[in-house]
Coordinates of all heavy atoms in Angstrom, one line a residue:
M55 N 58.7 21.0 -177.4 CA 57.7 20.1 -178.0 C 56.3 20.7 -177.7 O 56.0 21.1 -176.5 CB 57.7 18.6 -177.4 CG 56.8 17.8 -178.0 SD 56.7 16.1 -177.2 CE 58.1 15.3 -178.1
G56 N 55.5 20.9 -178.7 CA 54.2 21.4 -178.5 C 53.1 20.5 -177.9 O 53.4 19.2 -177.8
S57 N 52.0 21.1 -177.6 CA 51.0 20.3 -176.9 C 50.4 19.2 -178.0 O 50.2 18.0 -177.5 CB 49.8 21.2 -176.6 OG 48.7 20.4 -176.1
L58 N 50.3 19.6 -179.3 CA 49.8 18.6 -180.2 C 50.7 17.5 -180.4 O 50.4 16.4 -180.6 CB 49.5 19.4 -181.5 CG 49.0 18.5 -182.6 CD1 47.6 17.9 -182.2 CD2 48.8 19.3 -184.0
E59 N 52.1 17.8 -180.4 CA 53.1 16.7 -180.5 C 53.1 15.8 -179.4 O 53.3 14.6 -179.5 CB 54.5 17.4 -180.7 CG 54.7 18.1 -182.1 CD 56.0 18.8 -182.1 OE1 56.6 18.9 -181.1 OE2 56.3 19.3 -183.2
R60 N 52.9 16.3 -178.1 CA 52.9 15.5 -177.0 C 51.6 14.5 -177.0 O 51.7 13.4 -176.7 CB 52.8 16.3 -175.7 CG 54.1 16.8 -175.2 CD 54.0 17.3 -173.8 NE 53.2 18.5 -173.7 CZ 53.6 19.7 -173.9 NH1 54.8 20.0 -174.3 NH2 52.7 20.7 -173.7
K61 N 50.5 15.1 -177.5 CA 49.3 14.3 -177.6 C 49.4 13.2 -178.6 O 49.0 12.1 -178.5 CB 48.1 15.2 -178.0 CG 47.6 16.0 -176.8 CD 46.4 16.9 -177.2 CE 45.9 17.8 -176.0 NZ 44.8 18.6 -176.4
S62 N 50.1 13.6 -179.7 CA 50.3 12.6 -180.8 C 51.3 11.4 -180.4 O 51.0 10.3 -180.7 CB 51.0 13.3 -182.0 OG 51.4 12.3 -183.0
A63 N 52.2 11.8 -179.6 CA 53.2 10.8 -179.1 C 52.4 9.9 -178.1 O 52.6 8.6 -178.1 CB 54.4 11.3 -178.4
T64 N 51.6 10.5 -177.3 CA 50.8 9.7 -176.2 C 49.9 8.8 -177.0 O 49.7 7.6 -176.6 CB 50.1 10.6 -175.3 OG1 51.0 11.4 -174.6 CG2 49.3 9.8 -174.2
A65 N 49.1 9.3 -178.0 CA 48.2 8.5 -178.8 C 49.0 7.3 -179.5 O 48.5 6.2 -179.6 CB 47.5 9.3 -179.8
A66 N 50.2 7.5 -179.9 CA 50.9 6.5 -180.7 C 51.3 5.4 -179.7 O 51.2 4.1 -180.0 CB 52.2 7.1 -181.3
R67 N 51.7 5.8 -178.5 CA 52.0 4.8 -177.5 C 50.7 4.0 -177.0 O 50.7 2.8 -176.8 CB 52.7 5.3 -176.3 CG 54.1 5.6 -176.5 CD 54.9 6.0 -175.3 NE 54.4 7.2 -174.7 CZ 54.9 8.4 -175.0 NH1 55.8 8.5 -176.0 NH2 54.4 9.5 -174.4
L68 N 49.6 4.7 -176.9 CA 48.4 4.2 -176.4 C 47.8 3.2 -177.3 O 47.3 2.2 -177.0 CB 47.4 5.3 -176.1 CG 46.0 4.9 -175.5 CD1 46.2 4.2 -174.1 CD2 45.1 6.1 -175.4
F69 N 47.8 3.5 -178.7 CA 47.2 2.7 -179.7 C 48.2 1.8 -180.4 O 48.0 1.4 -181.5 CB 46.4 3.5 -180.6 CG 45.2 4.1 -180.1 CD1 45.2 5.5 -179.8 CD2 44.2 3.3 -179.5 CE1 44.2 6.1 -179.3 CE2 43.1 4.0 -178.9 CZ 43.1 5.3 -178.7
D70 N 49.4 1.5 -179.7 CA 50.3 0.6 -180.3 C 49.7 -0.8 -180.5 O 49.0 -1.3 -179.6 CB 51.5 0.5 -179.3 CG 52.7 -0.3 -179.9 OD1 52.5 -0.7 -181.1 OD2 53.7 -0.5 -179.2
V71 N 49.8 -1.4 -181.7 CA 49.2 -2.6 -182.1 C 49.5 -3.7 -181.1 O 48.8 -4.6 -180.7 CB 49.5 -3.0 -183.5 CG1 49.0 -4.4 -183.8 CG2 48.9 -2.0 -184.4
R72 N 50.8 -3.7 -180.6 CA 51.3 -4.8 -179.7 C 50.5 -4.7 -178.4 O 50.2 -5.7 -177.8 CB 52.8 -4.6 -179.4 CG 53.6 -4.8 -180.6 CD 55.1 -4.5 -180.4 NE 55.2 -3.0 -180.1 CZ 56.4 -2.4 -179.9 NH1 57.4 -3.1 -180.0 NH2 56.4 -1.1 -179.8
R73 N 50.1 -3.5 -177.9 CA 49.3 -3.4 -176.7 C 48.0 -3.9 -176.9 O 47.5 -4.7 -176.0 CB 49.3 -1.9 -176.3 CG 48.4 -1.7 -175.0 CD 48.3 -0.3 -174.6 NE 49.6 0.4 -174.6 CZ 50.1 1.0 -173.4 NH1 49.3 1.0 -172.4 NH2 51.3 1.5 -173.5
V74 N 47.3 -3.6 -178.0 CA 46.0 -4.1 -178.3 C 46.0 -5.7 -178.5 O 45.2 -6.4 -177.8 CB 45.4 -3.5 -179.6 CG1 44.1 -4.0 -179.9 CG2 45.3 -1.9 -179.3
I75 N 46.9 -6.2 -179.2 CA 46.9 -7.6 -179.4 C 47.3 -8.3 -178.2 O 46.6 -9.3 -177.7 CB 47.9 -8.0 -180.6 CG1 47.4 -7.5 -181.9 CG2 48.2 -9.5 -180.6 CD1 48.4 -7.6 -183.1
G76 N 48.2 -7.9 -177.5 CA 48.6 -8.5 -176.2 C 47.6 -8.5 -175.2 O 47.3 -9.4 -174.5
G77 N 46.9 -7.3 -175.0 CA 45.9 -7.3 -174.1 C 44.7 -8.2 -174.4 O 44.1 -8.9 -173.5
L78 N 44.3 -8.3 -175.7 CA 43.2 -9.2 -176.0 C 43.6 -10.6 -175.8 O 42.8 -11.4 -175.3 CB 42.8 -9.0 -177.5 CG 42.0 -7.7 -177.8 CD1 41.9 -7.6 -179.3 CD2 40.7 -7.8 -177.2
F79 N 44.8 -11.0 -176.1 CA 45.3 -12.4 -175.9 C 45.3 -12.7 -174.4 O 44.9 -13.8 -174.0 CB 46.6 -12.7 -176.5 CG 46.5 -13.3 -177.9 CD1 46.7 -12.5 -179.0 CD2 46.2 -14.6 -178.2 CE1 46.6 -13.0 -180.3 CE2 46.1 -15.2 -179.4 CZ 46.3 -14.3 -180.5
V80 N 45.7 -11.7 -173.6 CA 45.8 -12.0 -172.2 C 44.3 -12.1 -171.6 O 44.0 -13.1 -170.9 CB 46.5 -10.9 -171.4 CG1 46.2 -10.9 -169.9 CG2 48.0 -11.0 -171.7
V81 N 43.4 -11.3 -172.1 CA 42.0 -11.4 -171.6 C 41.4 -12.7 -172.0 O 40.8 -13.4 -171.2 CB 41.2 -10.2 -172.0 CG1 39.7 -10.4 -171.8 CG2 41.6 -8.9 -171.4
Y82 N 41.5 -13.0 -173.3 CA 40.9 -14.3 -173.8 C 41.6 -15.5 -173.1 O 41.0 -16.5 -172.9 CB 40.9 -14.3 -175.3 CG 39.9 -13.4 -175.9 CD1 40.2 -12.5 -177.0 CD2 38.6 -13.4 -175.5 CE1 39.3 -11.7 -177.5 CE2 37.7 -12.6 -176.0 CZ 38.0 -11.7 -177.0 OH 37.1 -10.8 -177.6
G83 N 42.9 -15.4 -173.0 CA 43.7 -16.5 -172.3 C 43.2 -16.8 -170.9 O 43.1 -17.9 -170.5
V84 N 42.9 -15.7 -170.2 CA 42.4 -16.0 -168.8 C 41.0 -16.6 -168.9 O 40.8 -17.6 -168.1 CB 42.3 -14.6 -168.1 CG1 41.5 -14.7 -166.8 CG2 43.7 -14.0 -167.7
L85 N 40.2 -16.2 -169.7 CA 38.8 -16.8 -169.8 C 38.9 -18.2 -170.3 O 38.2 -19.1 -169.7 CB 38.0 -16.0 -170.8 CG 37.6 -14.5 -170.4 CD1 36.9 -13.8 -171.6 CD2 36.7 -14.5 -169.1
V86 N 39.7 -18.5 -171.2 CA 39.8 -19.9 -171.7 C 40.5 -20.8 -170.7 O 40.2 -22.0 -170.5 CB 40.6 -19.9 -173.1 CG1 40.8 -21.4 -173.6 CG2 39.7 -19.2 -174.1
T87 N 41.5 -20.3 -170.0 CA 42.2 -21.0 -168.9 C 41.2 -21.4 -167.8 O 41.2 -22.5 -167.3 CB 43.4 -20.2 -168.4 OG1 44.3 -20.0 -169.4 CG2 44.1 -21.0 -167.3
I88 N 40.4 -20.4 -167.4 CA 39.3 -20.7 -166.4 C 38.4 -21.8 -166.9 O 38.1 -22.7 -166.2 CB 38.6 -19.4 -166.0 CG1 39.5 -18.4 -165.2 CG2 37.4 -19.7 -165.2 CD1 39.0 -17.1 -165.0
A89 N 38.0 -21.7 -168.2 CA 37.2 -22.7 -168.7 C 37.8 -24.1 -168.7 O 37.2 -25.1 -168.5 CB 36.7 -22.4 -170.2
G90 N 39.2 -24.1 -168.9 CA 39.9 -25.4 -168.9 C 40.0 -25.9 -167.5 O 40.0 -27.1 -167.2
I91 N 40.2 -25.0 -166.5 CA 40.3 -25.5 -165.1 C 39.0 -26.1 -164.6 O 39.0 -27.1 -163.9 CB 40.8 -24.3 -164.2 CG1 42.2 -23.9 -164.6 CG2 40.6 -24.6 -162.7 CD1 42.7 -22.6 -163.9
T92 N 37.9 -25.5 -165.1 CA 36.6 -25.9 -164.6 C 35.9 -26.9 -165.5 O 34.8 -27.2 -165.3 CB 35.7 -24.8 -164.4 OG1 35.5 -24.0 -165.7 CG2 36.2 -23.7 -163.5
A93 N 36.7 -27.5 -166.4 CA 36.2 -28.4 -167.4 C 35.8 -29.7 -166.7 O 36.4 -30.1 -165.8 CB 37.1 -28.7 -168.5
S94 N 34.6 -30.3 -167.2 CA 34.2 -31.6 -166.6 C 34.9 -32.8 -167.2 O 35.6 -32.6 -168.3 CB 32.7 -31.7 -166.8 OG 32.4 -31.9 -168.1
D95 N 34.8 -33.9 -166.7 CA 35.4 -35.1 -167.3 C 34.8 -35.4 -168.6 O 35.5 -35.9 -169.5 CB 35.2 -36.3 -166.3 CG 36.1 -36.1 -165.0 OD1 37.1 -35.4 -165.1 OD2 35.7 -36.7 -164.0
A96 N 33.5 -35.1 -168.9 CA 32.9 -35.3 -170.1 C 33.5 -34.4 -171.2 O 33.6 -34.9 -172.3 CB 31.4 -35.1 -170.1
D97 N 33.8 -33.1 -170.8 CA 34.4 -32.3 -171.8 C 35.8 -32.7 -172.2 O 36.1 -32.7 -173.3 CB 34.4 -30.8 -171.1 CG 33.1 -30.2 -171.0 OD1 32.1 -30.6 -171.7 OD2 33.0 -29.2 -170.2
I98 N 36.6 -33.2 -171.2 CA 37.9 -33.7 -171.5 C 37.8 -35.0 -172.4 O 38.6 -35.2 -173.3 CB 38.7 -33.9 -170.2 CG1 38.9 -32.5 -169.5 CG2 40.0 -34.6 -170.4 CD1 39.4 -32.6 -168.1
A99 N 36.8 -35.8 -172.1 CA 36.7 -37.0 -172.8 C 36.3 -36.8 -174.3 O 36.8 -37.5 -175.2 CB 35.6 -37.9 -172.2
K100 N 35.6 -35.7 -174.5 CA 35.3 -35.3 -175.9 C 36.5 -34.9 -176.7 O 36.6 -35.1 -177.9 CB 34.3 -34.1 -175.9 CG 32.9 -34.4 -175.6 CD 32.1 -33.1 -175.9 CE 30.9 -33.1 -174.9 NZ 30.1 -31.8 -175.1
A101 N 37.6 -34.4 -176.1 CA 38.8 -34.0 -176.7 C 39.8 -35.1 -176.6 O 41.0 -34.8 -176.6 CB 39.3 -32.8 -176.1
Q102 N 39.5 -36.3 -176.5 CA 40.3 -37.5 -176.4 C 41.3 -37.4 -175.3 O 42.5 -37.7 -175.4 CB 41.0 -37.7 -177.7 CG 40.1 -37.9 -178.9 CD 40.8 -38.2 -180.2 OE1 42.0 -38.1 -180.3 NE2 40.0 -38.4 -181.2
G103 N 40.8 -37.0 -174.1 CA 41.6 -36.9 -173.0 C 42.4 -35.7 -172.7 O 43.3 -35.7 -171.8
I104 N 42.5 -34.8 -173.7 CA 43.3 -33.6 -173.6 C 42.5 -32.4 -173.1 O 41.4 -32.2 -173.8 CB 44.0 -33.3 -174.9 CG1 44.9 -34.5 -175.3 CG2 44.8 -32.0 -174.8 CD1 45.4 -34.4 -176.7
N105 N 42.9 -31.7 -172.2 CA 42.2 -30.5 -171.7 C 42.6 -29.4 -172.6 O 43.4 -28.5 -172.3 CB 42.5 -30.3 -170.2 CG 41.5 -29.2 -169.6 OD1 40.9 -28.5 -170.4 ND2 41.5 -29.2 -168.3
I106 N 42.0 -29.3 -173.8 CA 42.3 -28.4 -174.8 C 42.2 -27.0 -174.4 O 43.0 -26.1 -174.7 CB 41.6 -28.7 -176.1 CG1 42.3 -28.0 -177.3 CG2 40.1 -28.4 -176.0 CD1 43.7 -28.4 -177.6
N107 N 41.1 -26.7 -173.6 CA 40.9 -25.3 -173.2 C 42.0 -24.8 -172.3 O 42.4 -23.7 -172.3 CB 39.5 -25.2 -172.5 CG 38.3 -25.2 -173.4 OD1 38.4 -24.8 -174.6 ND2 37.2 -25.5 -172.8
L108 N 42.5 -25.7 -171.4 CA 43.6 -25.3 -170.5 C 44.9 -25.0 -171.3 O 45.4 -24.0 -171.1 CB 43.8 -26.4 -169.5 CG 44.9 -26.2 -168.4 CD1 44.6 -24.9 -167.6 CD2 45.1 -27.4 -167.6
W109 N 45.2 -25.9 -172.2 CA 46.4 -25.7 -173.0 C 46.3 -24.5 -173.9 O 47.3 -23.7 -174.1 CB 46.8 -27.0 -173.8 CG 47.3 -28.1 -172.9 CD1 46.7 -29.2 -172.6 CD2 48.5 -28.0 -172.2 NE1 47.5 -29.9 -171.7 CE2 48.6 -29.3 -171.5 CE3 49.6 -27.2 -172.2 CZ2 49.7 -29.5 -170.7 CZ3 50.7 -27.5 -171.5 CH2 50.8 -28.7 -170.7
A110 N 45.2 -24.3 -174.6 CA 45.0 -23.2 -175.4 C 45.0 -21.9 -174.6 O 45.6 -20.8 -175.1 CB 43.7 -23.3 -176.2
G111 N 44.4 -21.9 -173.4 CA 44.4 -20.7 -172.6 C 45.8 -20.3 -172.1 O 46.2 -19.2 -172.1
I112 N 46.5 -21.3 -171.7 CA 47.9 -21.1 -171.3 C 48.7 -20.5 -172.5 O 49.5 -19.6 -172.3 CB 48.6 -22.3 -170.7 CG1 47.9 -22.6 -169.4 CG2 50.1 -22.2 -170.6 CD1 48.3 -24.0 -168.8
G113 N 48.6 -21.2 -173.7 CA 49.3 -20.6 -174.9 C 48.9 -19.1 -175.2 O 49.7 -18.4 -175.6
M114 N 47.6 -18.9 -175.0 CA 47.2 -17.5 -175.3 C 47.8 -16.4 -174.3 O 48.2 -15.4 -174.6 CB 45.7 -17.4 -175.3 CG 45.0 -18.1 -176.5 SD 43.2 -18.2 -176.3 CE 42.7 -16.7 -177.0
L115 N 47.8 -17.0 -173.0 CA 48.4 -16.1 -172.0 C 49.9 -15.8 -172.3 O 50.4 -14.7 -172.1 CB 48.2 -16.7 -170.6 CG 46.9 -16.6 -169.9 CD1 46.9 -17.5 -168.7 CD2 46.7 -15.2 -169.5
V116 N 50.6 -16.9 -172.7 CA 52.0 -16.7 -172.9 C 52.2 -15.8 -174.1 O 53.0 -14.9 -174.1 CB 52.7 -18.1 -173.2 CG1 54.1 -18.0 -173.8 CG2 52.8 -18.9 -171.9
L117 N 51.5 -16.0 -175.2 CA 51.5 -15.1 -176.4 C 51.2 -13.6 -176.1 O 52.0 -12.7 -176.4 CB 50.7 -15.6 -177.5 CG 50.7 -14.9 -178.8 CD1 52.1 -15.0 -179.5 CD2 49.7 -15.3 -179.8
G118 N 50.1 -13.4 -175.3 CA 49.8 -12.1 -174.9 C 50.8 -11.3 -174.1 O 51.1 -10.2 -174.3
L119 N 51.4 -12.1 -173.1 CA 52.4 -11.5 -172.3 C 53.7 -11.3 -173.0 O 54.4 -10.3 -172.8 CB 52.7 -12.5 -171.1 CG 51.5 -12.6 -170.0 CD1 51.8 -13.7 -169.0 CD2 51.3 -11.3 -169.4
A120 N 54.0 -12.1 -174.1 CA 55.2 -11.9 -174.9 C 54.9 -10.6 -175.7 O 55.9 -9.8 -175.8 CB 55.3 -13.1 -175.8
F121 N 53.8 -10.3 -176.2 CA 53.5 -9.0 -176.9 C 53.6 -7.9 -175.9 O 54.3 -6.9 -176.3 CB 52.1 -9.1 -177.5 CG 52.1 -9.6 -178.9 CD1 51.8 -10.9 -179.2 CD2 52.2 -8.7 -180.0 CE1 51.7 -11.3 -180.5 CE2 52.1 -9.2 -181.3 CZ 51.9 -10.5 -181.6
L122 N 53.1 -8.0 -174.8 CA 53.3 -6.8 -173.8 C 54.7 -6.7 -173.3 O 55.1 -5.5 -173.2 CB 52.4 -7.1 -172.6 CG 50.8 -7.1 -173.0 CD1 50.0 -7.5 -171.7 CD2 50.4 -5.8 -173.5
L123 N 55.5 -7.7 -173.2 CA 56.9 -7.6 -172.9 C 57.6 -7.0 -174.0 O 58.5 -6.1 -173.8 CB 57.4 -9.0 -172.5 CG 58.9 -9.0 -172.1 CD1 59.1 -8.3 -170.8 CD2 59.3 -10.5 -172.0
W124 N 57.4 -7.4 -175.2 CA 58.0 -6.8 -176.4 C 57.7 -5.3 -176.5 O 58.7 -4.5 -176.7 CB 57.4 -7.5 -177.7 CG 58.0 -7.0 -179.0 CD1 59.2 -6.3 -179.2 CD2 57.3 -7.1 -180.2 NE1 59.2 -6.1 -180.6 CE2 58.2 -6.5 -181.1 CE3 56.0 -7.5 -180.6 CZ2 57.7 -6.4 -182.5 CZ3 55.7 -7.5 -181.9 CH2 56.5 -6.9 -182.9
M125 N 56.5 -4.9 -176.2 CA 56.2 -3.4 -176.2 C 56.9 -2.8 -175.1 O 57.3 -1.6 -175.3 CB 54.7 -3.3 -176.1 CG 54.2 -1.9 -176.2 SD 52.6 -1.6 -175.5 CE 52.8 -1.9 -173.8
R126 N 57.0 -3.4 -174.0 CA 57.7 -2.8 -172.8 C 59.2 -2.6 -173.1 O 59.9 -1.6 -172.8 CB 57.5 -3.6 -171.6 CG 58.1 -3.0 -170.4 CD 57.2 -1.9 -169.8 NE 57.6 -1.7 -168.5 CZ 57.3 -0.5 -167.9 NH1 56.6 0.3 -168.5 NH2 57.7 -0.3 -166.7
L127 N 59.8 -3.6 -173.7 CA 61.3 -3.6 -174.0 C 61.7 -2.7 -175.2 O 62.8 -2.3 -175.3 CB 61.8 -5.1 -174.1 CG 61.7 -5.9 -172.9 CD1 62.2 -7.2 -173.2 CD2 62.5 -5.3 -171.8
S128 N 60.8 -2.6 -176.1 CA 61.0 -1.9 -177.4 C 59.9 -0.9 -177.7 O 59.0 -1.1 -178.6 CB 61.1 -2.8 -178.5 OG 61.3 -2.2 -179.7
P129 N 59.8 0.2 -176.9 CA 58.7 1.2 -177.1 C 58.8 1.8 -178.4 O 59.9 1.9 -179.1 CB 58.9 2.1 -175.9 CG 60.3 2.1 -175.6 CD 60.8 0.7 -175.9
P130 N 57.7 2.4 -178.9 CA 57.7 3.0 -180.2 C 58.6 4.3 -180.2 O 58.6 5.0 -179.1 CB 56.2 3.4 -180.5 CG 55.5 3.4 -179.1 CD 56.3 2.4 -178.3
P131 N 59.3 4.7 -181.2 CA 60.1 5.8 -181.2 C 59.4 7.1 -181.1 O 58.2 7.2 -181.6 CB 60.9 5.7 -182.5 CG 60.0 4.9 -183.4 CD 59.2 4.0 -182.5
P132 N 59.9 8.1 -180.4 CA 59.2 9.3 -180.3 C 59.1 10.0 -181.8 O 59.9 9.7 -182.6 CB 60.0 10.2 -179.4 CG 61.4 9.6 -179.5 CD 61.1 8.2 -179.8
P133 N 58.1 10.8 -182.0 CA 57.9 11.4 -183.3 C 59.1 12.4 -183.5 O 59.7 13.0 -182.5 CB 56.6 12.2 -183.2 CG 56.4 12.4 -181.8 CD 57.0 11.2 -181.1
P134 N 59.6 12.5 -184.8 CA 60.8 13.4 -185.0 C 60.4 14.8 -184.8 O 59.3 15.3 -185.1 CB 61.1 13.2 -186.5 CG 59.8 12.7 -187.1 CD 59.1 11.9 -186.0
S135 N 61.3 15.5 -184.2 CA 61.1 16.9 -184.0 C 61.3 17.7 -185.2 O 62.3 17.4 -186.0 CB 62.1 17.5 -182.8 OG 63.4 17.2 -183.2
P136 N 60.6 18.7 -185.5 CA 60.7 19.5 -186.7 C 62.0 20.2 -186.7 O 62.1 21.0 -185.8 CB 59.5 20.4 -186.9 CG 58.9 20.5 -185.5 CD 59.4 19.2 -184.8
D137 N 62.9 20.0 -187.6 CA 64.1 20.7 -187.7 C 63.9 22.0 -188.6 O 63.3 21.9 -189.6 CB 65.2 19.9 -188.4 CG 65.6 18.7 -187.5 OD1 65.5 18.9 -186.3 OD2 66.0 17.7 -188.0
P138 N 64.4 23.1 -188.1 CA 64.3 24.3 -189.0 C 65.1 24.1 -190.2 O 66.1 23.5 -190.4 CB 64.8 25.4 -188.1 CG 65.8 24.7 -187.1 CD 65.2 23.3 -187.0
T139 N 64.5 24.7 -191.3 CA 65.2 24.5 -192.6 C 66.4 25.6 -192.6 O 66.3 26.5 -191.8 CB 64.2 24.9 -193.8 OG1 63.7 26.3 -193.6 CG2 63.0 24.0 -193.7
P140 N 67.3 25.4 -193.5 CA 68.5 26.3 -193.5 C 68.1 27.8 -193.7 O 68.7 28.7 -193.2 CB 69.3 25.8 -194.7 CG 68.9 24.4 -194.9 CD 67.5 24.3 -194.5
A141 N 67.0 28.0 -194.4 CA 66.5 29.4 -194.6 C 66.0 29.9 -193.3 O 66.2 31.1 -193.0 CB 65.4 29.4 -195.7
E142 N 65.3 29.2 -192.5 CA 64.8 29.7 -191.2 C 66.0 29.9 -190.2 O 66.0 30.8 -189.5 CB 63.9 28.7 -190.6 CG 62.6 28.6 -191.4 CD 61.7 27.5 -190.8 OE1 62.1 26.7 -189.9 OE2 60.5 27.5 -191.2
E143 N 67.1 29.1 -190.4 CA 68.2 29.3 -189.4 C 69.0 30.6 -189.7 O 69.5 31.2 -188.8 CB 69.2 28.1 -189.6 CG 68.6 26.9 -189.0 CD 69.6 25.6 -189.2 OE1 70.6 25.8 -190.0 OE2 69.3 24.6 -188.7
S144 N 69.1 31.0 -191.0 CA 69.8 32.2 -191.3 C 69.0 33.5 -191.1 O 69.6 34.5 -191.0 CB 70.3 32.1 -192.8 OG 69.2 32.1 -193.7
R145 N 67.7 33.4 -191.0 CA 66.9 34.5 -190.8 C 67.0 35.0 -189.4 O 66.9 34.2 -188.4 CB 65.4 34.1 -191.1 CG 64.5 35.3 -191.1 CD 63.1 34.8 -191.6 NE 62.7 33.6 -191.0 CZ 61.6 33.0 -191.2 NH1 60.7 33.4 -192.0 NH2 61.3 31.9 -190.6
P146 N 67.2 36.3 -189.2 CA 67.4 36.8 -187.8 C 66.0 36.7 -187.0 O 65.0 36.9 -187.7 CB 67.7 38.3 -188.1 CG 67.4 38.6 -189.4 CD 67.3 37.3 -190.2
R147 N 66.1 36.4 -185.9 CA 64.9 36.2 -185.0 C 64.6 37.5 -184.4 O 65.5 38.3 -183.8 CB 65.1 35.2 -184.0 CG 65.3 33.8 -184.6 CD 65.3 32.7 -183.6 NE 65.5 31.5 -184.2 CZ 64.7 30.5 -184.0 NH1 63.8 30.5 -183.1 NH2 64.9 29.3 -184.7
P148 N 63.3 37.9 -184.2 CA 62.9 39.1 -183.5 C 63.2 39.0 -182.0 O 63.1 38.0 -181.4 CB 61.5 39.3 -183.8 CG 61.0 37.9 -184.1 CD 62.1 37.2 -184.8
E149 N 63.7 40.0 -181.4 CA 64.0 40.0 -180.0 C 62.7 40.3 -179.2 O 62.0 41.2 -179.6 CB 65.1 41.1 -179.7 CG 66.4 40.7 -180.4 CD 67.6 41.6 -179.9 OE1 67.4 42.0 -178.8 OE2 68.5 41.6 -180.6
G150 N 62.6 39.7 -178.1 CA 61.6 39.9 -177.2 C 60.3 39.2 -177.5 O 59.3 39.0 -176.8
G151 N 60.2 38.5 -178.7 CA 59.1 37.7 -179.1 C 59.5 36.2 -179.3 O 60.6 35.9 -179.4
A152 N 58.5 35.4 -179.4 CA 58.7 34.0 -179.5 C 58.7 33.6 -181.0 O 58.1 34.1 -181.8 CB 57.8 33.2 -178.7

């Protein structure tokens, strides 16, 4: 595998959409959960007695972690290796060179 192929495979794993979406949901979930934990009684009263920030934050955390778990359990497939064509297979290779 060449250097360019290794970099391409690394970039594909790094910019996997599941990682981006999961990471954003986890970050925002933490922020919204903290806002829910620190909510005042007046804020909760505005939402008819439901701490909506806490529930939404927990939901975002669960969704983000599910995306990251999905990425971990089902990683993207490696790029296909270029197979030599039948014409290249039958051609004699020079000795001593690559």
Side-chain angles (χ1 to χ4, degrees):
M55 183 185 275
S57 174
L58 183 60
E59 290 173 354
R60 275 194 300 276
K61 287 181 183 178
S62 175
T64 302
R67 281 190 297 275
L68 182 64
F69 295 111
D70 188 1
V71 172
R72 296 172 292 185
R73 179 183 305 240
V74 174
I75 292 172
L78 285 174
F79 267 102
V80 167
V81 168
Y82 288 131
V84 167
L85 294 174
V86 174
T87 301
I88 290 171
I91 291 170
T92 61
S94 67
D95 290 336
D97 292 334
I98 295 172
K100 283 186 209 177
Q102 298 181 358
I104 299 171
N105 193 343
I106 194 68
N107 283 338
L108 182 63
W109 287 108
I112 291 171
M114 293 169 85
L115 279 171
V116 168
L117 183 66
L119 292 173
F121 267 93
L122 295 176
L123 180 66
W124 177 27
M125 184 196 65
R126 182 78 166 164
L127 295 177
S128 177
S135 61
D137 293 329
T139 61
E142 291 175 348
E143 289 177 353
S144 63
R145 189 173 43 180
R147 295 188 179 226
E149 294 191 24

